[in-house]
């Protein structure tokens, strides 16, 4: 068990350092925003670009890996919606927002550093396969459901257009797309370009973790406690449990199996709050779920690492 905590605790200590530094005024909110701009628009895209350039396309996109992970996403999405409707008696739009929050795992800022510490940088190829599709899959699912419950087909088309336009300008998606283009071209990167990109990429995860701690200061644990418990429980318990069972049934190899389960065990990402704010529904529940889910995942991720 001590070996497991040796993997997870350093990651959460960096998040905690960012939280305390921002909370105590040693690091201003403006500085946090600047740090997150650097990580999300430059450093992490460089990391994903290099990952896609070096990605083994023939083996990386294993349908069993994607089926195990994303079937779990849909199960979590549906379960959170059902819980909001049947247990908490909340409106359908609130239910969709909470379902999105439960489904949208923090695959990059938490998932990558923990997987790297647990199994090494050479093990991350399945993680990158999941990340390449994650945002598009979750947003398409969430927007489709939101527009269905609003019964506005025009709204659905407009929503998809807006998200497609946003995704086309998203630095993370651009990094993935450019990396895949270089990979498919078969052309090697010039040595100095690869080395410079790698230097920026090395700063991505520690800087992003510190910045994530600063971002979490903005979120206060408020709202419906049962709604928060439902969202966090679906994200931290149901999702990895489903993926564990599905991966076992599908016969996933050990490396992709570990990657899928561990990624599914991550807390809700910041995009959970952004989706709720965009639609003006269950904003406090989703914001609180990001904060409380991240704190609770210290124990739950450690538990899944022990199981794995």
């Amino acid at each position: 068990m001590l070996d497991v905590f040796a993997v997870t605790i350093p990651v959460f200590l960096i998040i905690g350092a960012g939280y305390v530094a921002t909370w105590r005024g040693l690091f201003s909110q403006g500085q946090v925003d600047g740090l997150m701009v650097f990580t999300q628009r430059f450093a992490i895209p460089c990391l994903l670009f290099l990952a896609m350039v070096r990605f083994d396309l023939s083996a990386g996109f294993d349908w069993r890996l994607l089926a195990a992970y994303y079937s779990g996403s849909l199960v979590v999405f549906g379960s959170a919606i059902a819980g909001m409707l049947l247990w908490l008696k909340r409106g359908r739009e609130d239910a969709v927002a909470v379902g999105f929050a439960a489904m949208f795992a923090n695959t990059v800022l938490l998932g990558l550093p923990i997987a790297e510490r647990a199994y090494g940088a050479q093990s991350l190829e399945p993680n990158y396969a999941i990340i390449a599709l994650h945002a598009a899959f979750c947003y398409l699912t969430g927007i489709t459901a939101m527009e269905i419950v609003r019964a506005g087909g025009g709204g659905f088309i407009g929503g998809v257009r807006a998200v497609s336009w946003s995704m086309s300008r998203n630095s993370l998606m651009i990094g993935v797309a450019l990396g895949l283009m270089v990979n498919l071209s078969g052309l090697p990167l010039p040595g100095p370009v690869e080395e410079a990109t790698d230097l920026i990429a090395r700063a991505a995860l520690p800087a992003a973790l510190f910045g994530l701690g600063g971002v979490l200061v903005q979120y206060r644990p408020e709202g419906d406690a049962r709604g928060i418990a439902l969202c966090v429980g679906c994200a931290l318990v149901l999702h990895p449990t489903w993926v564990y069972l599905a991966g076992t049934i599908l016969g996933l190899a050990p490396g992709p199996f570990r990657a899928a389960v561990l990624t599914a065990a991550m807390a809700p990402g910041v995009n959970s709050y952004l989706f709720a704010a965009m639609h003006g529904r269950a904003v406090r529940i989703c914001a609180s779920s990001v904060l409380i889910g991240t704190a609770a995942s210290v124990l739950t991720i450690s538990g899944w690492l022990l199981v794995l």
Side-chain angles (χ1 to χ4, degrees):
M1 190 66 184
L2 291 178
D3 290 340
V4 168
F5 280 123
V7 171
T8 57
I9 292 301
V11 171
F12 288 99
L13 282 177
I14 297 174
I15 296 173
Y19 188 97
V20 171
T22 307
W23 172 48
R24 301 305 300 171
L26 302 176
F27 210 70
S28 71
Q29 199 61 57
Q31 290 169 323
V32 170
D33 293 341
L35 180 61
M36 293 307 283
V37 167
F38 166 71
T39 58
Q40 295 191 347
R41 295 188 184 176
F42 298 98
I44 294 177
C46 285
L47 176 69
L48 296 178
F49 170 77
L50 287 179
M52 291 298 108
V53 168
R54 299 163 181 169
F55 194 75
D56 182 357
L57 293 173
S58 63
F61 286 105
D62 184 340
W63 71 268
R64 295 171 300 172
L65 167 72
L66 300 178
Y69 183 85
Y70 285 110
S71 66
S73 296
L74 291 175
V75 167
V76 165
F77 183 63
S79 298
I81 289 175
M84 288 288 288
L85 293 174
L86 303 176
W87 178 38
L88 301 183
K89 309 299 183 184
R90 296 288 291 265
R92 293 180 296 174
E93 293 178 28
D94 283 356
V96 172
V98 172
F100 182 90
M103 170 178 61
F104 202 102
N106 196 334
T107 58
V108 177
L109 301 189
L110 278 182
L112 286 180
I114 288 176
E116 182 176 4
R117 285 189 56 79
Y119 303 114
Q122 74 284 352
S123 73
L124 295 179
E125 197 165 84
N127 297 73
Y128 291 124
I130 293 171
I131 289 167
L133 303 175
H134 187 255
F137 177 90
C138 292
Y139 270 105
L140 182 60
T141 302
I143 287 174
T144 300
M146 185 64 78
E147 294 307 326
I148 287 173
V149 301
R150 287 180 170 177
F156 167 70
I157 294 172
V160 170
R161 284 176 179 168
V163 170
S164 298
W165 175 242
S166 177
M167 287 290 153
S168 71
R169 297 181 298 156
N170 182 281
S171 300
L172 305 186
M173 294 298 100
I174 291 171
V176 169
L178 290 178
L180 286 174
M181 288 171 60
V182 173
N183 189 314
L184 290 169
S185 73
L187 298 174
L189 281 178
V193 173
E194 184 170 7
E195 182 62 26
T197 307
D198 189 54
L199 284 172
I200 297 176
R202 291 178 199 172
L205 295 181
L209 289 171
F210 188 91
L212 175 61
V215 168
L216 291 176
V217 173
Q218 302 174 47
Y219 303 147
R220 297 289 185 268
E222 57 185 3
D224 187 332
R226 295 185 302 167
I228 297 167
L230 172 66
C231 182
V232 171
C234 285
L236 300 186
V237 180
L238 178 58
H239 198 177
T241 299
W242 177 275
V243 174
Y244 186 96
L245 295 174
T248 301
I249 293 170
L250 293 172
L252 267 178
F257 180 81
R258 290 194 302 258
V261 174
L262 195 56
T263 303
M266 295 301 131
V270 174
N271 278 288
S272 305
Y273 164 74
L274 298 179
F275 182 88
M278 180 172 69
H279 293 94
R281 293 294 177 179
V283 176
R284 293 193 304 171
I285 291 177
C286 295
S288 298
S289 295
V290 173
L291 176 62
I292 294 172
T294 302
S297 65
V298 178
L299 296 177
T300 57
I301 291 171
S302 298
W304 281 109
L305 281 171
L306 195 62
V307 170
L308 293 170

